[in-house]
């Protein structure tokens, strides 16, 4: 069994072979750039700081169509560019960026199969240079609302037989024993637990230690064993949206589920909103 859309993943070897290709642009998306990108990155890769370049700093939302368009033009991206994303935290924030790029209509964006850790472990070339490119002409589209869920929509769909909520956080977060992942403490709600009816499929069950994704057979078995099947509309969520986007990517592009949404407001919104129902 192959992935539904195998071209959305590229190997480290493919990237190594295309480092100087004029139509390929590599973007490293980091949560902590100071201990990641600045210490060394894939030659030619540009930095997207998750907090600065993906999230709107004036409100809790993703960046606007206009801001994304400007950011991608600034790094030399055209509409026919092949955009490769990778990053720290086993590609958590890289797949969040992938989701944002698709949200605004970027045609050919791909994820490196394996995170920074894999590139380093394979002793591939590194650079500390900050590249500069001639401005591109990429034009963003209006948001694709079919891949995003908002809180009110999620509330309305609780208990629906043809929809399923997938909580991709750790089991301890899902059960309310902890409020945030051990990796960092910024994504938390004041109340622990999960959205009523949500099933727990932790994101780390999808990947190996170096961030390489598991096979289609393994992934299919994992989700179908918990009744997360392609005949349902699937809504993923986590703490702040990055792990939810990872699972969205796997379900939509690797398994080919036709109707998958990411609730990027996730637990930080749900767990901090007065009156929202919570299960433990």
């Amino acid at each position: 069994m192959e992935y539904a859309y195998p071209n959305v993943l590229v190997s480290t070897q493919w990237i190594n072979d295309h480092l100087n290709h004029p139509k390929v642009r590599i973007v490293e998306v980091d949560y902590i750039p100071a201990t990641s990108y600045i210490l060394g990155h894939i030659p030619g890769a540009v930095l997207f700081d998750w907090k600065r370049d993906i999230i709107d700093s004036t409100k809790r939302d993703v960046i606007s169509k206009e801001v994304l368009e400007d950011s991608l033009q600034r790094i030399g991206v055209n509409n026919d560019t092949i955009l490769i994303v990778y990053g720290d935290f086993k590609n958590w924030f890289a797949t969040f960026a992938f989701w944002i790029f698709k949200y605004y209509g970027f045609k050919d964006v791909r994820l490196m199969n394996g995170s920074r850790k894999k590139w380093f472990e394979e002793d591939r070339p590194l650079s500390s240079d900050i590249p500069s490119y001639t401005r591109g002409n990429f034009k963003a589209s209006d948001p694709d609302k079919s891949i995003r869920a908002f809180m009110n929509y999620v509330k309305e769909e609780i208990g629906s037989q043809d929809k399923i909520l997938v909580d991709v956080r750790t089991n301890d977060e899902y059960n309310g024993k902890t409020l945030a992942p051990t990796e960092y403490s910024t994504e938390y709600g004041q109340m622990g637990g999960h959205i009523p009816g949500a099933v727990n499929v932790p994101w780390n069950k999808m990947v190996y230690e170096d961030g390489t994704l598991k096979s289609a057979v393994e992934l299919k078995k994992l989700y179908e064993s918990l009744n997360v099947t392609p005949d349902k509309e699937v809504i993923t969520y986590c703490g702040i949206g990055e792990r939810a986007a990872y699972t969205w990517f796997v379900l939509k592009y690797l398994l080919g589920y036709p109707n998958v949404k990411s609730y990027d407001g996730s637990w930080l919104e749900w767990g901090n909103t007065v009156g929202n129902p919570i299960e433990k």
Side-chain angles (χ1 to χ4, degrees), residues 104-120:
Y104 288 118
F106 197 90
K107 183 178 179 181
D108 195 352
V109 54
R110 309 178 190 184
L111 178 72
M112 185 173 84
N113 193 12
S115 58
R116 279 177 51 88
K117 182 177 181 179
K118 182 175 177 61
W119 188 270
F120 272 69

Side-chain angles (χ1 to χ4, degrees), residues 14-73:
W14 188 96
I15 293 175
N16 193 79
D17 294 341
H18 291 78
L19 288 178
N20 298 311
H21 195 291
K23 284 195 174 183
V24 173
R25 183 69 69 247
I26 304 169
V27 178
E28 178 169 323
V29 188
D30 290 333
Y31 180 70
I32 311 177
T35 57
S36 298
Y37 182 85
I38 293 174
L39 297 181
H41 48 266
I42 297 175
V46 295
L47 172 67
F48 264 42
D49 182 332
W50 178 79
K51 296 178 182 177
R52 182 193 67 202
D53 299 314
I54 300 295
I55 297 299
D56 188 329
S57 62
T58 64
K59 57 183 177 179
R60 187 163 190 270
D61 200 355
V62 299
I63 53 175
S64 68
K65 168 187 171 181
E66 292 74 22
V67 169
L68 178 68
E69 186 175 280
D70 179 70
S71 295
L72 290 182
Q73 288 181 359

Side-chain angles (χ1 to χ4, degrees), residues 123-195:
D123 198 26
R124 296 191 181 274
L126 294 170
S127 174
S128 59
D129 295 336
I130 309 299
S132 177
Y133 296 102
T134 301
R135 191 173 183 88
N137 58 22
F138 168 69
K139 294 295 182 183
S141 302
D142 290 334
D144 179 1
K145 297 180 181 180
S146 71
I147 66 172
R148 190 181 191 189
F150 292 92
M151 185 174 67
N152 287 340
Y153 180 82
V154 174
K155 279 184 179 181
E156 293 171 359
E157 302 307 326
I158 291 176
S160 176
Q161 295 301 306
D162 61 347
K163 296 177 176 60
I164 189 165
L165 282 161
V166 179
D167 185 320
V168 312
R169 298 174 300 161
T170 63
N171 188 255
D172 281 349
E173 290 173 271
Y174 176 80
N175 288 321
K177 294 180 180 179
T178 60
L179 295 177
T182 56
E183 289 87 348
Y184 58 98
S185 59
T186 59
E187 59 168 86
Y188 58 87
Q190 292 186 5
M191 300 290 292
H194 57 267
I195 299 174

